[in-house]
Amino acid sequence: MVSFTQMITAGLLASAAVAHPHSHQQSHVHVSKRSSSKRGAAYNDASTVESLSSSGGISWAYDWNMVASGSLPSGVEFVPMLWGSKMFGDWFTTIETVLSSGSSYIMGFNEPDMSSQAAMTPSEAAQSYSKYITPYSGKAKLVTPAVTNGGGNDVGLGWMRQFLAACTDCSMSVLAVHWYGASADEFKTFVQEAQELASQYNLSETWVTEFALSSAMSAGSGTQESTDFLNEVVPWLDKQSGIGRYAYFMCANGYLLDGSSLSASGKAYTYQS
């Protein structure tokens, strides 16, 4: 699972993969809006968020960056992320501007448990978090670094446990995780484990800021499987009192979008029968 996560996360800061649009069939005929203040958009191109937003299906968005890199639709909150050490230089001046524009959360480092991403030990991450993010406690709610669902002491929730033990004065209130795997049951089990860890450290919410089936790792793949998966897990996430927000991977053509319209997966993400 870790090797898959490495593959899927390697291209997060690159432009979303573009495939020829597929003709998607809905698996149901009668749909009704599934409104959720938890649901968000993970994007690379801000203009793509309109397709999700126009359905009223999302309340927030992020782009693995500290700036929105474009204009988001009205009513969609941008959540900045301090991706990792390569962004430290411009952080203090940039985050002040972003917070003054209305952002109410700050997300921590992107997959520091992975060598292909932010690549930090729990101790290094705790020191950097305390220096760069904790000073904004009171101005925004602070989100932990987002870890993978890899197994082991130094990845995934094992890494997170070490980080939380080292960052006791970091003023965080949200735990963030990512998940890629084979089934809805696996997803639910992992998210429940993350919520239990958050509770142990008195964090009030858990966010799932990236998730998808392994079969949907490339644009245009796993359409029906992804639709069925989302039809099961999205209502489940909305019912979990400990889940504050979530964002499916991702708001881009061949994933939640088919051109400028919602794909079958996009409809499942924002609607239900």
Side-chain angles (χ1 to χ4, degrees):
M1 192 175 295
V2 176
S3 60
F4 169 74
T5 309
Q6 288 177 307
M7 287 188 289
I8 193 71
T9 55
L12 290 182
L13 293 181
S15 297
V18 177
H20 293 294
H22 288 244
S23 177
H24 298 311
Q25 300 271 338
Q26 276 189 265
S27 59
H28 48 266
V29 177
H30 301 290
V31 297
S32 60
K33 182 174 166 182
R34 184 161 63 209
S35 180
S36 171
S37 60
K38 300 180 179 184
R39 189 178 309 117
Y43 71 93
N44 281 325
D45 180 352
S47 67
T48 62
V49 179
E50 179 62 40
S51 296
L52 287 181
S53 175
S54 61
S55 70
I58 62 167
S59 64
W60 68 284
Y62 84 103
D63 62 349
W64 298 276
N65 203 340
M66 53 186 167
V67 292
S69 301
S71 298
L72 291 173
S74 176
V76 176
E77 178 192 359
F78 174 69
V79 179
M81 168 187 279
L82 179 53
W83 187 93
S85 59
K86 67 182 182 181
M87 292 187 177
F88 287 171
D90 296 326
W91 173 251
F92 289 117
T93 53
T94 302
I95 193 59
E96 292 284 357
T97 301
V98 173
L99 293 179
S100 66
S101 69
S103 294
S104 57
Y105 290 88
I106 298 174
M107 296 169 67
F109 316 126
N110 187 68
E111 299 187 353
D113 56 324
M114 300 301 294
S115 60
S116 60
Q117 295 298 306
M120 300 178 182
T121 66
S123 177
E124 290 170 342
Q127 292 172 6
S128 295
Y129 197 103
S130 180
K131 178 178 179 179
Y132 290 98
I133 300 179
T134 299
Y136 297 98
S137 174
K139 295 183 179 180
K141 293 183 180 180
L142 308 185
V143 184
T144 70
V147 295
T148 70
N149 57 308
N153 292 332
D154 297 321
V155 293
L157 296 181
W159 186 100
M160 181 66 79
R161 244 179 231 102
Q162 295 182 61
F163 170 79
L164 293 174
C167 214
T168 54
D169 297 321
C170 290
S171 302
M172 300 169 293
S173 59
V174 181
L175 185 146
V177 293
H178 295 168
W179 179 90
Y180 296 94
S183 72
D185 286 342
E186 285 183 12
F187 174 76
K188 292 176 184 179
T189 297
F190 174 73
V191 172
Q192 287 171 333
E193 291 173 352
Q195 291 184 84
E196 289 168 4
L197 181 59
S199 179
Q200 290 170 20
Y201 283 88
N202 297 313
L203 302 177
S204 60
E205 301 177 30
T206 297
W207 288 13
V208 188
T209 52
E210 282 181 41
F211 69 102
L213 291 173
S214 303
S215 60
M217 64 180 293
S218 59
S221 65
T223 301
Q224 187 57 54
E225 283 183 300
S226 296
T227 299
D228 294 341
F229 171 74
L230 286 167
N231 277 330
E232 179 172 351
V233 303
V234 169
W236 180 83
L237 286 167
D238 285 340
K239 292 176 183 176
Q240 300 299 301
S241 60
I243 297 298
R245 289 182 172 183
Y246 57 84
Y248 186 71
F249 186 85
M250 61 180 296
C251 184
N253 183 40
Y255 296 89
L256 291 176
L257 305 181
D258 185 355
S260 61
S261 301
L262 295 178
S263 66
S265 296
K267 291 172 183 176
Y269 189 54
T270 53
Y271 290 78
Q272 69 178 13
S273 58

